């Protein structure tokens, strides 16, 4: 960052902070409204409770599990989807014991798989904490029941297929024994038949050993659903924090929008930027001047006051600028009436005179002249009479 860019960024930051300070009440009102509405909405919501049961998923057959890595046997995405099927929901509804539709039950169910685990987190939400607990526990138990039944059916089917094969082999053995009954023991045919029967007997033994047992290794609940005591939603603190950020964003955005469309001048800096000329002095309000209709020369009445010091500062700036430009005549004017043109002109004239300068003060306000009141003189003869040639300026 170059040295020239750093001061410019500093000025921009100060400008942003100035806008925030100037529009602080807008920001605070928007912030208060946003937080208030968010909290009202949050507290008006019906509390929702959530309970979670955790299941350790295992392969159904213990013997298979011992020979094969568990991660190769269990597809957790499939198990997750299985919990959310109508078949499991039907079993869960039987345990809960109400007439809630399966679709409604599944809408209140949430199933997650923690990363790199064989765990299922089965969560159930409800307005009643006891129902949330019962729902989570029912779905966990329903999943285990469904998996157990499915495993038993698979084992029975496998046993039936193997038993059918055993029956076929035993029939072949019986046929072979009948053929051997009338054969010569030393003949080649008898030896071949005996070898075939031995093979069939060995196949029968192997098939019987392959019969799966009816023992299954179902998944288990490692963390039962507990009764929730704190609602899962609404979360008032979180809603309030979000409303805080949103309110700040809206408030600051509105503040800068107002600043963008507001063309009023505020302070010395705005005036200098808009007019393109420097401000020589800022005259503060005279707090002791209660009646505006009174004409006072504060530089004489209160020479040590802040307004008097401001007039002397203005005098210094005017004398410096006029000397540089070679100017000997100065006109004081304003945009609207009541701005204090006469007051500033009179006090500035006195301040210049106090600096041992010769001053001629001419009042050119023909509609509502007032300068003469500051010096306690009559205005029966004035600028108009001089311009008309009725009198000579002396």
């Amino acid at each position: 960052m170059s040295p020239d860019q750093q001061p410019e960024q500093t000025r921009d930051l100060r400008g942003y902070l100035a806008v925030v300070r100037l529009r602080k009440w807008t920001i605070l009102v928007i912030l208060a409204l946003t937080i208030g509405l968010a909290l009202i909405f949050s507290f008006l919501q019906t509390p929702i409770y959530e309970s979670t049961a955790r299941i350790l998923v295992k392969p159904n057959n213990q013997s298979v599990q011992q020979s094969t890595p568990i991660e190769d046997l269990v597809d957790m995405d499939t198990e997750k989807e299985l919990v959310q099927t109508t078949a499991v929901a039907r079993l869960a509804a039987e345990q809960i014991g109400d007439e809630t539709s399966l679709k409604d039950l599944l809408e209140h169910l949430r199933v997650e798989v923690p990363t790199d685990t064989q765990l299922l987190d089965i969560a159930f939400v409800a307005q009643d904490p006891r129902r949330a607990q019962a729902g989570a526990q029912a779905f966990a138990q329903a999943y285990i029941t469904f998996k157990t039944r499915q495993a038993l059916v698979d084992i029975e089917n496998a046993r039936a297929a193997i038993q059918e094969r055993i029956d076929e082999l035993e029939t072949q053995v019986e046929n072979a024994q009948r053929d051997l009954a009338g054969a010569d023991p030393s003949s080649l045919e008898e030896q071949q038949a005996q070898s075939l029967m031995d093979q069939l007997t060995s196949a029968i033994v192997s098939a019987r050993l392959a019969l799966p047992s009816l023992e299954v290794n179902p998944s288990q609940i490692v963390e039962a659903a507990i009764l929730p005591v704190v609602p899962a939603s609404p979360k008032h603190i979180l809603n309030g924090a979000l409303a805080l950020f949103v309110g700040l964003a809206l408030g600051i955005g509105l503040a800068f929008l107002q600043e963008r469309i507001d063309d009023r001048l505020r302070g010395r800096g705005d005036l200098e930027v808009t007019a393109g000329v420097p401000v020589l002095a800022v005259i503060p309000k005279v707090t002791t001047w209660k009646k505006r209709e009174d004409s006072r020369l504060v530089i004489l009445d209160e020479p040590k006051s802040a307004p008097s010091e401001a007039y002397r500062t203005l005098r210094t700036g005017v004398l410096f600028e006029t000397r540089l430009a070679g100017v000997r005549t100065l006109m004081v004017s304003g945009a609207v009436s009541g701005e204090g043109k006469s007051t500033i002109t009179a006090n500035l004239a006195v301040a210049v005179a106090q600096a041992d300068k010769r001053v001629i003060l001419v009042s050119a306000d023909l509609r509502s002249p007032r300068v003469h009141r500051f010096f306690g003189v009559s205005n029966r003869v004035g600028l108009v009479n001089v311009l008309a040639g009725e009198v000579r300026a002396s």
Side-chain angles (χ1 to χ4, degrees), residues 12 50 75 81 114 196 276 379:
D12 291 341
E50 179 179 293
D75 184 349
E81 295 299 324
L196 175 60
N379 69 334

Side-chain angles (χ1 to χ4, degrees), residues 17-30:
L17 294 177
V19 173
V20 172
R21 284 195 299 268
L22 179 64
R23 306 287 184 177
K24 61 180 179 297
W25 290 113
T26 298
I27 298 174
L28 291 176
V29 169
I30 296 297

Side-chain angles (χ1 to χ4, degrees), residues 26-104:
T26 298
I27 298 174
L28 291 176
V29 169
I30 296 297
L31 180 62
L33 287 176
T34 305
I35 294 178
L37 291 175
L39 291 179
I40 290 175
F41 176 76
S42 181
F43 280 101
L44 288 178
Q45 286 185 308
T46 302
I48 301 297
Y49 294 86
E50 179 179 293
S51 184
T52 303
R54 174 165 287 187
I55 294 179
L56 175 60
V57 179
K58 300 178 181 179
N60 284 328
N61 191 282
Q62 181 69 30
S63 61
V64 175
Q65 180 186 4
Q66 292 175 351
S67 61
T68 308
I70 186 172
E71 58 270 15
D72 295 338
L73 297 174
V74 179
D75 184 349
M76 294 305 297
D77 290 335
T78 301
E79 301 302 316
K80 175 182 176 181
E81 295 299 324
L82 177 61
V83 179
Q84 303 175 78
T85 59
T86 56
V88 175
R90 186 175 295 107
L91 294 174
E94 294 175 359
Q95 296 187 38
I96 295 174
D98 60 18
E99 298 181 355
T100 305
S101 66
L102 300 182
K103 181 180 179 181
D104 183 66

Side-chain angles (χ1 to χ4, degrees), residues 51 66 76 95 176 184 225 227 234 244 276 322-323 327 362-363 381:
S51 184
Q66 292 175 351
M76 294 305 297
Q95 296 187 38
D184 183 1
L227 182 67
L244 174 64
T322 54
R323 177 173 296 180
V327 175
V362 179
S363 175
V381 178

Side-chain angles (χ1 to χ4, degrees), residues 84-230:
Q84 303 175 78
T85 59
T86 56
V88 175
R90 186 175 295 107
L91 294 174
E94 294 175 359
Q95 296 187 38
I96 295 174
D98 60 18
E99 298 181 355
T100 305
S101 66
L102 300 182
K103 181 180 179 181
D104 183 66
L105 283 178
L106 291 174
E107 287 179 351
H108 291 78
L109 178 68
R110 180 174 55 81
V111 184
E112 293 181 352
V113 179
T115 306
D116 298 330
T117 67
Q118 302 297 128
L119 299 174
L120 283 176
D121 287 342
I122 301 177
F124 194 83
V125 296
Q127 297 180 6
D128 181 7
R130 296 188 181 277
R131 179 171 175 77
Q133 180 190 24
Q137 193 69 21
F139 267 95
Q141 192 60 52
Y143 166 76
I144 294 177
T145 300
F146 181 86
K147 290 285 291 184
T148 302
R149 292 179 180 179
Q150 183 187 44
L152 291 174
V153 171
D154 293 341
I155 291 175
E156 286 290 355
N157 293 335
R159 287 174 62 87
I162 295 175
Q163 187 62 49
E164 183 179 354
R165 178 59 179 166
I166 292 174
D167 293 342
E168 292 177 356
L169 293 174
E170 288 179 344
T171 300
Q172 294 179 14
V173 170
E174 292 176 357
N175 294 334
Q177 288 175 344
R178 284 195 299 268
D179 294 339
L180 288 174
D184 183 1
S186 60
S187 66
L188 180 60
E189 290 81 1
E190 192 276 340
Q191 294 178 359
Q192 292 177 345
Q194 184 63 43
S195 175
L196 175 60
M197 188 173 63
D198 292 341
Q199 293 177 6
L200 291 174
T201 303
S202 177
I204 291 173
V205 173
S206 299
R208 286 178 176 173
L209 292 176
L211 279 172
S213 67
L214 292 176
E215 179 183 357
V216 296
N217 181 41
S219 303
Q220 65 184 58
I221 300 176
V222 294
E223 290 184 10
I226 62 174
L227 182 67
V229 295
V230 178

